[in-house]
Amino acid sequence: MPQRQIYLLSPRQLSAETIAVTFAKTSRSPQSFRQIAAELSEEQSARFHEKWVIGYGHASVAEHAVLHIAFENVSRLAVECIESNRLASYTEKSTRYQTWNLDEFYLPPEIETSPWRARYVETTRLLFQTYQDILPALRAEVRKRLPLRENETEQAWDRRVRSQYVDAARFLLPASALANLGMTVNARALEHAIRKMLSHPLEEVRQIGIQLKQTAQEEVPTLLKYAEASPYLQTLSERLPLVASKLAAPSPSSGDWCVLVAWEPDAEDRLLAAALYRYGNLPYLEALRAVQNASHTQRLEWASLLLSGVNRHQLPLREFEHTCYTFDLIMDQGAYFEFKRHRMMTQSPQLLTAGLGYATPRLIEEAGVAAPYHRAMQAAAETYRLLAEWNPQVAQYIVPNGFYRRVLVTFNLREAYHFCQLRAASNAHFSIRRLALRIAEEIRRVHPLLASAMELPQESWEEIEAQSFV
Ligand SMILES: Cc1cc2nc3c(=O)[nH]c(=O)nc-3n(C[C@H](O)[C@H](O)[C@H](O)COP(=O)(O)OP(=O)(O)OC[C@H]3O[C@@H](n4cnc5c(N)ncnc54)[C@H](O)[C@@H]3O)c2cc1C
């Protein structure tokens, strides 16, 4: 019997494109991967990709070519497009553990050549200056509540509590604030990402797309060769806003910030049926009928079997993905920036605007810096209003993290468990904790049994809201 072998194809020895071809060739070749790789040159790999991946559409081969891409000094608004790619991994500069200097913001080319340049720079500087100015007062307020421990150094104290005061100051940071992020992505997902960037309405994002394509081609020259702008995406981003702008204005009753707009009333039956289907041999409709005809006690027994052992470190079975929830959410932009990192969801954010108002963290009032905070936020709202009449896409850059944003989101129950448990934890930012607890409450309201194993803190979202926001 041939011996089992498990080994790495190291990117230190083989190019990303050669690794991808080596794996692809196992489909037709009886040779070992080492033998296949040894016989390949970079030119042969390029020819293979041209023929199979590009010519015949065997695109999944490109997933074996993985890149690690560093982005520095891109606006947080551009980060949204970069991170909108679900099949990739990211780590970015934290607004909770780092602070921003006065000049760490982006001046968009559209504004540079417009009559709005001076106004944009003045408002951005006011936001950054206010951010810097209120940090000491917020820090002092936190110090009153969380004094230095015995033998604790000033630096150790700061490391321990920094997020508490930076969490409040971050509401002032505009979407133009510059960020660094690392992205790990395969060439197939990257091609899609570049296409989205090249089709984007913002000049900064299109420039990033061009630079990214050039940079990544140093590693994967063939696989990204045909990454071009998508006329489909370009047309939609030009035409759909015109169509949508003709709809009626929102009604006064559309104010709730967390509305469960769709769920499946028979989710419990369907989920139990899916689990019995997987571990049995019935066709699905017969499994469903068996569940529907079962006694209440029997169903409870099956459900408790499915849920026992589920906790923060153990997600429920994949069958929990057969039931979904759609929420219409309003959250502050800071919370959205964290929320968008959850890739196992379908998220449709509206443009960032100043139209829905802004949140005020309670710490800002308690530290006595509400007046400069409101002054800066109102100045941002006014500059936004002026800019938005001219270009609503570009106007987003001026909007600070504290402003509210609408997002339509659909996710399955398994992801709901993950999101709610992770983001309701006490170390999360109060804004996303409130959101996670409210989402959990809504799911429990419609599916008390299915959501009963979620491990959540004792606090309610109302308590977090009362403690953390004015
Ligand atoms: C306390 C805390 C601090 C954080 N600090 C930072 C920070 O400083 N900087 C920063 O950039 N982010 C930070 N994050 C965000 C974090 O890194 C995640 O991006 C975010 O929480 C989304 O979580 P997720 O990846 O588990 O969830 P989702 O994207 O919702 O995915 C759900 C689950 O699917 C699986 N999954 C999804 N995609 C992959 C994949 N590509 N490979 C393997 N498994 C996958 C995982 O099991 C994952 O838990 C922080 C998060 C927390 C909770």
Side-chain angles (χ1 to χ4, degrees):
M1 185 172 73
Q3 284 232 309
R4 176 194 302 133
Q5 299 226 44
I6 299 177
Y7 53 94
L8 297 172
L9 294 190
S10 170
R12 272 173 268 176
Q13 283 142 16
L14 299 167
S15 75
E17 289 203 347
T18 303
I19 290 175
V21 176
T22 305
F23 284 153
K25 283 200 162 217
T26 202
S27 144
R28 309 282 195 276
S29 165
Q31 286 181 306
S32 76
F33 291 108
R34 281 201 183 96
Q35 286 167 328
I36 299 171
E39 288 170 13
L40 278 173
S41 66
E42 291 192 7
E43 293 70 42
Q44 284 168 314
S45 301
R47 276 203 301 279
F48 180 96
H49 287 312
E50 282 277 4
K51 180 172 171 187
W52 288 95
V53 179
I54 295 156
Y56 297 155
H58 190 178
S60 64
V61 167
E63 293 171 30
H64 293 298
V66 175
L67 285 87
H68 305 282
I69 303 161
F71 295 82
E72 292 178 8
N73 300 318
V74 291
S75 78
R76 283 166 56 83
L77 194 56
V79 170
E80 289 189 15
C81 181
I82 299 171
E83 291 182 351
S84 67
N85 302 287
R86 166 185 297 155
L87 298 175
S89 309
Y90 312 93
T91 298
E92 72 197 56
K93 174 173 175 171
S94 169
T95 50
R96 307 190 66 202
Y97 302 101
Q98 295 198 57
T99 53
W100 266 252
N101 293 326
L102 289 179
D103 56 355
E104 286 183 287
F105 67 87
Y106 184 68
L107 178 60
E110 296 93 333
I111 291 204
E112 204 157 8
T113 52
S114 80
W116 302 109
R117 188 184 193 283
R119 172 97 193 200
Y120 173 88
V121 171
E122 185 195 345
T123 310
T124 311
R125 288 207 185 285
L126 174 67
L127 288 165
F128 274 76
Q129 190 64 58
T130 310
Y131 172 81
Q132 289 274 329
D133 290 349
I134 70 171
L135 275 169
L138 296 172
R139 189 174 186 274
E141 186 60 28
V142 171
R143 181 65 160 257
K144 279 193 229 157
R145 298 165 196 191
L146 299 166
L148 230 64
R149 289 176 181 153
E150 213 179 306
N151 298 329
E152 191 174 33
T153 64
E154 193 66 35
Q155 290 94 326
W157 176 84
D158 196 68
R159 268 198 307 278
R160 179 163 63 86
V161 307
R162 186 183 305 149
S163 69
Q164 304 234 0
Y165 59 91
V166 180
D167 275 0
R170 85 170 194 190
F171 283 66
L172 282 160
L173 281 178
S176 62
L178 294 173
N180 291 351
L181 76 146
M183 176 190 202
T184 298
V185 62
N186 67 57
R188 184 186 201 182
L190 185 58
E191 189 198 24
H192 178 61
I194 292 171
R195 281 165 65 79
K196 276 202 281 189
M197 288 177 196
L198 296 178
S199 321
H200 201 275
L202 291 172
E203 174 69 29
E204 181 196 9
V205 179
R206 292 195 299 274
Q207 286 177 9
I208 292 171
I210 293 168
Q211 203 177 339
L212 175 58
K213 181 174 169 179
Q214 282 165 355
T215 306
Q217 276 194 297
E218 291 167 21
E219 200 67 38
V220 284
T222 325
L223 292 173
L224 298 175
K225 209 160 145 183
Y226 301 102
E228 304 292 350
S230 151
Y232 171 74
L233 294 179
Q234 286 170 321
T235 307
L236 289 188
S237 73
E238 278 161 26
R239 296 189 51 190
L240 277 177
L242 298 175
V243 177
S245 69
K246 297 200 169 70
L247 303 178
S251 71
S253 63
S254 53
D256 191 0
W257 57 271
C258 177
V259 183
L260 177 56
V261 290
W263 74 95
E264 291 128 19
D266 62 343
E268 200 177 295
D269 290 356
R270 299 196 317 105
L271 203 151
L272 289 175
L276 295 176
Y277 174 95
R278 172 172 166 187
Y279 289 96
N281 59 6
L282 288 180
Y284 177 72
L285 287 179
E286 287 177 36
L288 184 61
R289 213 167 307 127
V291 171
Q292 286 163 342
N293 293 334
S295 68
H296 182 62
T297 318
Q298 178 69 85
R299 291 156 58 100
L300 278 184
E301 206 177 289
W302 288 338
S304 83
L305 181 62
L306 264 179
L307 290 165
S308 61
V310 170
N311 57 44
R312 273 199 69 192
H313 308 287
Q314 177 59 63
L315 278 183
L317 276 191
R318 191 171 259 211
E319 281 56 45
F320 279 61
E321 294 180 5
H322 285 297
T323 188
C324 288
Y325 304 87
T326 299
F327 281 90
D328 187 0
L329 301 170
I330 296 176
M331 65 190 87
D332 62 72
Q333 168 68 2
Y336 170 67
F337 220 72
E338 297 180 352
F339 188 71
K340 73 173 177 2
R341 293 290 299 280
H342 288 277
R343 296 156 291 179
M344 298 289 152
M345 298 187 183
T346 301
Q347 299 187 357
S348 305
Q350 291 184 348
L351 281 191
L352 176 58
T353 76
L356 295 172
Y358 61 89
T360 303
R362 188 164 290 285
L363 186 66
I364 292 207
E365 251 190 15
E366 289 168 349
V369 290
Y373 177 79
H374 291 303
R375 222 173 7 257
M377 295 298 261
Q378 282 155 16
E382 184 50 21
T383 300
Y384 168 82
R385 194 184 60 74
L386 296 170
L387 288 175
E389 281 172 15
W390 160 70
N391 186 332
Q393 286 281 348
V394 175
Q396 295 179 95
Y397 281 106
I398 201 68
V399 182
N401 268 331
F403 280 83
Y404 294 117
R405 186 162 192 186
R406 239 183 221 292
V407 191
L408 183 71
V409 55
T410 299
F411 49 78
N412 62 53
L413 182 56
R414 198 161 179 236
E415 175 68 354
Y417 263 83
H418 173 65
F419 170 77
C420 293
Q421 293 179 144
L422 183 73
R423 295 305 195 161
S426 59
N427 61 351
H429 189 282
F430 51 81
S431 200
I432 201 152
R433 274 169 67 213
R434 178 182 73 142
L435 178 68
L437 285 170
R438 177 84 195 272
I439 287 177
E441 182 182 284
E442 293 298 319
I443 295 177
R444 280 177 164 169
R445 185 170 58 76
V446 294
H447 293 146
L449 182 61
L450 296 182
S452 61
M454 272 189 199
E455 270 193 351
L456 299 170
Q458 286 303 310
E459 278 173 298
S460 68
W461 63 266
E462 289 97 334
E463 281 167 327
I464 294 176
E465 187 170 87
Q467 279 159 18
S468 313
F469 291 102
V470 174

